[in-house]
Amino acid sequence: MRTKHGAIHVFTWNEDITLNNTEQFRKAMAKLIEEPADHLILNMEQVKYINSAGLGIIADGVMTARKQQKELVVAGVQGSLQEIFHIVKFSSFIKLFKTEKEAIHYFVENDNI
């Protein structure tokens, strides 16, 4: 599901990321990065599990976005997803937020959107 908040584009992924849907997730992330916005939010509020391929897709997405002078952040990082992201040290190169509202606030405060 995609929503727009002014110059911020939000993509919500509503299921765990497993071998069964990794390719769908990869395509959805590529589409998000192609959006004509510099501020991108991946909302993972409903996700409880993500496999290593999914983690790689997010990391690649962040790097690709940066190359295009965009910023991709992840929202909805709570519970088991927060533990997984902590173990792989995602917060060292990706901004993580507990809610979509916090992520939107981050962009608004830092970029005067």
Side-chain angles (χ1 to χ4, degrees):
M1 181 172 86
R2 295 182 193 288
T3 56
K4 295 177 185 175
H5 299 276
I8 303 168
H9 285 227
V10 180
F11 171 66
T12 302
W13 184 264
N14 288 318
E15 56 187 302
D16 291 349
I17 300 167
T18 65
L19 194 58
N20 295 331
N21 61 7
T22 302
E23 196 52 38
Q24 287 173 290
F25 183 63
R26 181 185 319 281
K27 288 177 182 173
M29 286 295 293
K31 211 169 187 183
L32 173 63
I33 293 163
E34 290 171 6
E35 291 284 338
D38 293 337
H39 309 294
L40 309 170
I41 299 172
L42 170 61
N43 186 331
M44 300 183 76
E45 217 168 86
Q46 301 298 314
V47 179
K48 304 290 181 252
Y49 172 81
I50 181 170
N51 65 11
S52 59
L55 292 170
I57 292 166
I58 293 172
D60 288 348
V62 168
M63 302 313 281
T64 301
R66 283 185 187 157
K67 287 178 187 168
Q68 298 176 19
Q69 277 68 55
K70 298 180 179 190
E71 184 174 7
L72 171 63
V73 302
V74 182
V77 180
Q78 301 179 49
S80 58
L81 190 64
Q82 185 176 15
E83 288 178 40
I84 293 167
F85 283 3
H86 176 74
I87 290 167
V88 298
K89 300 185 182 342
F90 255 34
S91 62
S92 66
F93 70 101
I94 300 173
K95 293 260 188 247
L96 305 174
F97 299 93
K98 288 186 187 246
T99 67
E100 182 179 310
K101 187 176 180 179
E102 287 177 14
I104 291 169
H105 183 74
Y106 162 76
F107 282 130
V108 170
E109 289 297 306
N110 291 312
D111 293 316
N112 300 316
I113 296 173

